[in-house]
Amino acid sequence: MNQGNQDKRKQRDYEDEDSEEEEIEQPINVHNKGDMEEEINLDFVFLDPNQKQFHSIKSFINGYLEGISFKSSELANIICDQVELGTMVGQEDEDNVFGFTTILNIGEIKSNAIGEILHYVDTKSQQYNKQHQQLQHIFQTPKKIGLFINERILNLAPQLVPILHNQLKEDINWLQKEDPSNPLTNLDYLLVITKCFKDNDQQKQTQKKSTSDLNDLIFQKFEDYVFLEKSVVSFRFLSEGSKQTQQVSDYMKTDQEGQICYRLIYLIQLKDYLAQIVNIEKYVQQ
């Protein structure tokens, strides 16, 4: 790992003093009020991945495959070591992070963890995906596919979300300029594994309807709704343990009483993901 990658944000600021990077590197102040109306101020900063964040990252991805055991420590190490592309949101001089986004080239990384994730996707696709042949066709060129991992605490301030995605976009642009031979600059698709929910009553009313209606779903990460509109392959299935109702803190819905949990897997072209980031900002501004 070279020093240029370790300091990519500082380097980008130095190269372009007028870039947005310099502005959003400043801490973001979020005000939260508790039951006693006591105001709490939190300053957030956007950071490059590093090994000090390992335990925090691992805690986010332990349930990545709905509780199925996999080499999550190996995956956490890969995320922490890939400094050239990936953004963490945290606090200055703290090792814990509140959320992160990253993209891993599944065809370039030789890892048992990546293999386990792809086996999970293939197995579930065979069972639940009507577009399984299309998925298989795309996966014939794995070096063109990035595993997009987008995790955060449920109550992270919504205004931070578009910044996380814009930082990832900046990383991609920076790599294309500084290291065009990097495999991460040669991706066509992003593979996303995430969660969505449906109200119990609504589930009963719509079981005979098509499962493709996005408006019936509640998204744990509201931007999934935006990305799914442009997805080329998508499918979902009941999550393990979903017989029990679960709750989700979601930006697009405030009534969080008893919901059925689904696992959601989809593929989106990288160019469409980048183009849709502006629509995430519009959702936050509504």
Side-chain angles (χ1 to χ4, degrees), residues 130 198 209-217 228 234 236:
K130 295 180 180 179
K198 183 180 283 191
K209 292 170 55 178
S210 168
T211 59
S212 62
D213 188 359
L214 298 184
N215 293 321
D216 287 346
L217 302 176
L228 268 172
S234 68
R236 70 177 188 266

Side-chain angles (χ1 to χ4, degrees), residues 85 101-103 148 162-176 184-190 192 223 226-228 230-231 266 268-281:
L85 197 157
T101 57
T102 193
I103 298 172
F148 176 56
I163 302 177
L164 270 170
H165 292 284
N166 271 311
Q167 286 283 274
L168 207 60
K169 182 178 181 179
E170 288 292 326
D171 284 355
I172 293 170
N173 292 338
W174 181 80
L175 267 178
Q176 289 173 341
L184 290 167
T185 66
N186 197 35
L187 299 173
D188 289 336
Y189 295 92
L190 298 182
V192 185
E223 64 267 36
V226 178
F227 298 145
L228 268 172
K230 296 294 183 178
S231 65
Y266 63 92
I268 183 173
Q269 288 189 289
L270 176 62
K271 65 180 181 64
D272 289 332
Y273 162 74
L274 296 175
Q276 287 292 86
I277 291 175
V278 66
N279 291 324
I280 301 175
E281 297 170 345

Side-chain angles (χ1 to χ4, degrees), residues 73-84:
S73 292
E74 186 177 300
L75 183 62
N77 272 316
I78 292 170
I79 293 169
C80 291
D81 285 342
Q82 186 181 273
V83 182
E84 61 266 43

